[in-house]
Amino acid sequence: RLPSARILFTDLPHVLPRLQASLDANMPAVPGWSSVEALPWGQPPTLELRRHAPYDMLLASDVAFRAELLPAFFQSMNWLSSFQTVAIIAIVDRPGEAHHFEASAT
């Protein structure tokens, strides 16, 4: 971990308690290094999320499971990033997912 690195974990509001419990159980207890916030795709980010935007890096995993949500996902990515932001997006190649993802990303 970089000395000045701060990580913000996001998910839907109903998932946050489970996400926080997982972080508490698996990550070292370093005060202030991370936080957990809700980020429903397609809804304007909260003031807390926008406070640090644009982010240096955005990391997303398994985000293409519902093709109809991809435009909202990319809108949320746009709100939090700039042209200097590095985005790493991992998807599972379930039938049709990669195609829908690529079509939505253009």
Side-chain angles (χ1 to χ4, degrees):
R1 172 172 111 70
L2 298 173
S4 63
R6 185 170 177 277
I7 302 172
L8 174 65
F9 295 89
T10 65
D11 212 319
L12 293 172
H14 71 277
V15 180
L16 296 183
R18 212 172 32 197
L19 176 57
Q20 186 64 59
S22 179
L23 289 172
D24 292 344
N26 294 295
M27 303 303 282
V30 179
W33 79 274
S34 70
S35 58
V36 172
E37 293 288 332
L39 179 61
W41 297 342
Q43 295 180 19
T46 64
L47 184 59
E48 179 60 25
L49 289 173
R50 291 191 318 258
R51 186 166 60 109
H52 298 289
Y55 289 88
D56 295 327
M57 178 181 284
L58 298 173
L59 175 64
S61 176
D62 198 16
V63 295
F65 53 91
R66 289 186 44 199
E68 68 273 14
L69 296 178
L70 288 170
F73 166 73
F74 284 111
Q75 178 64 59
S76 294
M77 295 282 285
N78 283 334
W79 280 324
L80 300 174
S81 64
S82 72
F83 287 109
Q84 285 95 18
T85 300
V86 174
I88 300 171
I89 305 169
I91 63 170
V92 176
D93 193 11
R94 296 178 190 101
E97 274 191 24
H99 170 76
H100 291 299
F101 183 84
E102 289 174 4
S104 296
T106 57

